């Protein structure tokens, strides 16, 4: 089952055309991604304590439908692929009518905060990723 969070489009998310600015879709996905990672126990404090960081190295996004002010957004996150030091997750954003408005595959690498070099994915995150893959 994909991780899910819900929220509403705010007035500050709208561009001069009257719909959500394209960069805000990425921000919505970031909120979902961090909430999803934090659910594994890897909070910001815990990541800092371990001196590790998940870093986005690639995003491929598809904008499918516009969102407007006060619309509900449903963000779903699920694992796609797991390596030793990197993983790929899929974000899907839906409106309140369950219409897909955007989706993206995000490749992330776990890095050591001190050396700034890639490092192994923590076991609890690895287990959560593999659990997601088994559910599919």
């Amino acid at each position: 089952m994909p991780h899910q969070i819900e929220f509403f489009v705010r007035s500050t998310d709208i561009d001069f055309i009257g719909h959500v600015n394209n960069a805000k879709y990425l921000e919505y996905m970031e909120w979902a991604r961090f909430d999803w990672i934090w659910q594994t126990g890897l909070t910001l404090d815990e990541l800092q304590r371990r001196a590790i960081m998940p870093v986005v190295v690639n995003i491929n996004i598809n904008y499918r439908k516009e969102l407007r002010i006060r619309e509900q957004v449903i963000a779903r996150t699920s694992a796609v692929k797991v390596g030793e030091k990197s993983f790929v997750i899929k974000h899907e954003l839906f409106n309140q009518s369950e219409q897909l408005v955007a989706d993206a595959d995000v490749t992330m690498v776990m890095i050591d905060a001190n050396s700034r070099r890639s490092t192994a994915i923590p076991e609890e995150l690895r287990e959560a990723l593999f659990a997601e893959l088994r559910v599919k």
Side-chain angles (χ1 to χ4, degrees):
M1 183 80 178
H3 174 269
Q4 180 171 303
I5 64 170
E6 299 177 18
F7 46 89
F8 288 90
V9 174
R10 302 166 305 182
S11 61
T12 55
D13 298 342
I14 304 302
D15 62 18
F16 69 95
I17 297 174
H19 62 206
V20 172
N21 179 276
N22 66 292
K24 290 294 183 174
Y25 286 80
L26 293 169
E27 189 175 308
Y28 296 165
M29 291 176 183
E30 184 176 29
W31 295 348
R33 185 167 53 253
F34 273 93
D35 190 68
W36 178 73
I37 290 172
W38 290 2
Q39 294 299 317
T40 68
L42 293 173
T43 62
L44 184 56
D45 288 341
E46 183 61 17
L47 291 168
Q48 289 174 340
R49 186 187 72 73
R50 295 185 193 193
I52 57 174
M53 299 180 290
V55 176
V56 173
V57 295
N58 184 274
I59 294 180
N60 292 305
I61 188 167
N62 299 298
Y63 299 96
R64 302 190 182 276
K65 186 168 179 52
E66 66 183 350
L67 285 167
R68 295 184 176 270
I69 193 164
R70 298 288 305 145
E71 279 195 270
Q72 181 182 22
V73 180
I74 303 157
R76 295 187 183 128
T77 305
S78 58
V80 174
K81 182 180 174 185
V82 183
E84 291 297 316
K85 300 176 180 181
S86 66
F87 56 97
V88 179
I89 56 177
K90 176 173 279 304
H91 289 299
E92 295 175 304
L93 301 179
F94 297 88
N95 63 19
Q96 66 270 5
S97 300
E98 288 283 331
Q99 296 171 312
L100 182 65
V101 298
D103 59 275
D105 287 335
V106 180
T107 303
M108 301 191 71
V109 173
M110 192 62 65
I111 68 168
D112 178 289
N114 298 314
S115 70
R116 304 301 239 209
R117 301 273 184 209
S118 61
T119 191
I121 299 169
E123 193 56 36
E124 59 269 45
L125 180 54
R126 177 180 291 292
E127 288 174 9
L129 290 162
F130 279 123
E132 284 277 331
L133 290 174
R134 282 192 293 274
V135 169
K136 291 182 180 178

